[in-house]
Amino acid sequence: AQRVTQPEKLLSVFKGAPVELKCNYSYSGSPELFWYVQYSRQRLQLLLRHISRESIKGFTADLNKGETSFHLKKPFAQEEDSAMYYCALLSGGYQKVTFGIGTKLQVIP
Amino acid sequence: SQTIHQWPATLVQPVGSPLSLECTVEGTSNPNLYWYRQAAGRGLQLLFYSVGIGQISSEVPQNLSASRPQDRQFILSSKKLLLSDSGFYLCAWSPVLTGGAGEQYFGPGTRLTVT
């Protein structure tokens, strides 16, 4: 069965410090992974997808099939990055996604 | 552009009462539709999803049911609410593309409190 693991419920970093939000997955098929973000009082929204290999708001994520990981990284944290981040895996015949439990990122000024 | 609506925003219901939460999507046709429950420390739990009118897949056995009476309408229901049904319910849609389910657009959510 598919599974997404986000080992940290809370990650606190200082402004300007590097950020790495961890995500590991378990899936027997070819994985497609995503990061979603929820800012305070806003809707949950898609941040980026591995297949696009894009950088959004300074965040990047690389799929490592050997380590079954899809960590989200940013070299210099900003206060506006404080939010809840969810890693998600496309599954179920590509009709649904499995979400991790989320990591709350707190950027300390 | 596409929009997704959910109502009500908040709801307080007594144990044993019925429930009906509604979700509608505008600006797209034949979307995939989803109901989630979001809980702190437990993330997003997929409850139901639908790939077409009348087609409902249930992910977890529970006291809830879902229906899709129209293409862009998704309803979450219960005949008798339990205290454990309290939570934050999210509706989402995704385009019907290969892998499109990964690109989900979420509604504002409904906060349900069962007393």
Side-chain angles (χ1 to χ4, degrees):
Chain A
Q2 61 273 6
R3 179 174 292 180
V4 176
T5 302
Q6 293 181 253
E8 301 150 323
K9 289 187 177 180
L10 173 65
L11 179 65
S12 296
V13 301
F14 285 101
K15 178 182 174 181
V19 175
E20 184 179 53
L21 297 163
K22 291 184 167 53
C23 173
N24 289 90
Y25 66 91
S26 174
Y27 187 55
S28 57
S30 181
E32 288 192 42
L33 287 127
F34 307 80
W35 276 99
Y36 280 77
V37 61
Q38 188 170 29
Y39 302 102
S40 179
R41 299 187 187 86
Q42 293 188 28
R43 301 186 186 192
L44 187 61
Q45 59 187 285
L46 179 64
L47 179 63
L48 55 79
R49 66 205 81 186
H50 94 267
I51 200 168
S52 299
R53 303 185 67 81
E54 56 199 346
S55 174
I56 303 293
K57 298 183 178 181
F59 284 99
T60 59
D62 291 320
L63 178 61
N64 186 323
K65 292 186 178 180
E67 296 182 358
T68 60
S69 68
F70 187 57
H71 303 328
L72 183 68
K73 300 178 182 179
K74 185 171 183 176
F76 307 104
Q78 299 174 327
E79 289 181 63
E80 55 264 34
D81 296 328
S82 294
M84 195 74 178
Y85 291 81
Y86 293 92
C87 183
L89 168 70
L90 188 63
S91 58
Y94 300 111
Q95 293 179 335
K96 62 178 183 178
V97 294
T98 299
F99 284 88
I101 65 170
T103 298
K104 183 176 181 179
L105 174 64
Q106 182 181 54
V107 180
I108 304 165
Chain B
S1 64
Q2 303 89 358
T3 55
I4 178 169
H5 305 280
Q6 275 186 255
W7 64 90
T10 59
L11 188 61
V12 180
Q13 293 281 100
V15 168
S17 64
L19 172 73
S20 181
L21 302 182
E22 190 163 342
C23 172
T24 59
V25 181
E26 296 175 357
T28 187
S29 297
N30 194 31
N32 288 344
L33 296 171
Y34 308 84
W35 278 112
Y36 293 91
R37 181 160 49 206
Q38 186 180 30
R42 297 185 62 184
L44 282 165
Q45 181 186 32
L46 179 62
L47 303 175
F48 302 93
Y49 69 96
S50 171
V51 299
I53 296 174
Q55 300 179 61
I56 308 295
S57 296
S58 175
E59 287 296 292
V60 292
Q62 57 205 320
N63 186 43
L64 302 168
S65 62
S67 62
R68 185 171 178 173
Q70 300 181 41
D71 180 43
R72 289 169 289 178
Q73 184 184 31
F74 205 24
I75 298 172
L76 184 68
S77 304
S78 174
K79 292 182 179 179
K80 289 186 178 181
L81 283 168
L82 305 172
L83 285 174
S84 57
D85 292 323
S86 294
F88 191 63
Y89 290 85
L90 285 170
C91 182
W93 75 272
S94 71
V96 183
L97 305 168
T98 300
E103 184 181 329
Q104 299 203 2
Y105 299 89
F106 286 84
T110 295
R111 173 73 62 187
L112 172 66
T113 303
V114 182
T115 60

